[in-house]
Amino acid sequence: MEKVVGIGGLFFRSKDPKALAVWYAEHLGVDEVPQSYEAECWNQEAGATVFAPFNQDSEYFGRPEQQWMVNFRVRDLDAMVGQLRGSGISVDVDGETYPNGRFARLYDPEGNPIELWEPA
């Protein structure tokens, strides 16, 4: 059976797409979409990707109307959290270390939840 080999993009609505793209590039290192087909887009490192639909009434994403959440893998959670907090961004670090690693939660300027994951 043929199967997909990865996620080719994450597309979502935004009140101010340009400003939000700049925020993700500035604070998380996710390059903005190139302006031409000759330019390269952001490349992620190979690694585990969890694809998990949640129950409609899940509170995990925050607001009930929130339909998605992105989880980014990081090499050093403490360093990333320090960098974000140094830029004035509030980050909540989960105090528990799980068998699959450590996690932190923040929100982008439009209130979308972002989970950071340092795999074990």
Side-chain angles (χ1 to χ4, degrees):
M1 177 178 108
E2 189 64 25
K3 63 180 183 175
V4 299
V5 296
I7 295 174
L10 174 65
F11 308 96
F12 57 99
R13 298 177 198 271
S14 169
K15 295 174 191 140
D16 188 345
K18 179 63 179 164
L20 198 57
V22 168
W23 186 89
Y24 275 86
E26 224 173 77
H27 298 290
L28 298 175
V30 178
D31 297 335
E32 294 183 58
V33 174
Q35 298 302 308
S36 74
Y37 287 104
E38 290 76 36
E40 286 194 36
C41 62
W42 176 61
N43 282 285
Q44 63 178 315
E45 292 182 7
T49 301
V50 176
F51 185 84
F54 278 66
N55 285 326
Q56 183 66 34
D57 61 353
S58 172
E59 296 178 4
Y60 194 69
F61 303 159
R63 305 182 320 262
E65 65 275 10
Q66 187 68 41
Q67 295 297 309
W68 65 275
M69 180 186 72
V70 64
N71 170 298
F72 289 113
R73 278 180 275 113
V74 299
R75 285 189 209 110
D76 184 335
L77 186 64
D78 294 325
M80 178 61 85
V81 168
Q83 175 180 300
L84 291 165
R85 287 178 175 164
S87 293
I89 298 169
S90 178
V91 183
D92 294 319
V93 178
D94 188 327
E96 188 171 339
T97 299
Y98 299 89
N100 62 335
R102 298 175 56 221
F103 296 87
R105 174 78 58 100
L106 65 140
Y107 295 86
D108 74 18
E110 294 193 4
N112 299 306
I114 298 168
E115 190 170 68
L116 302 176
W117 170 35
E118 179 186 279

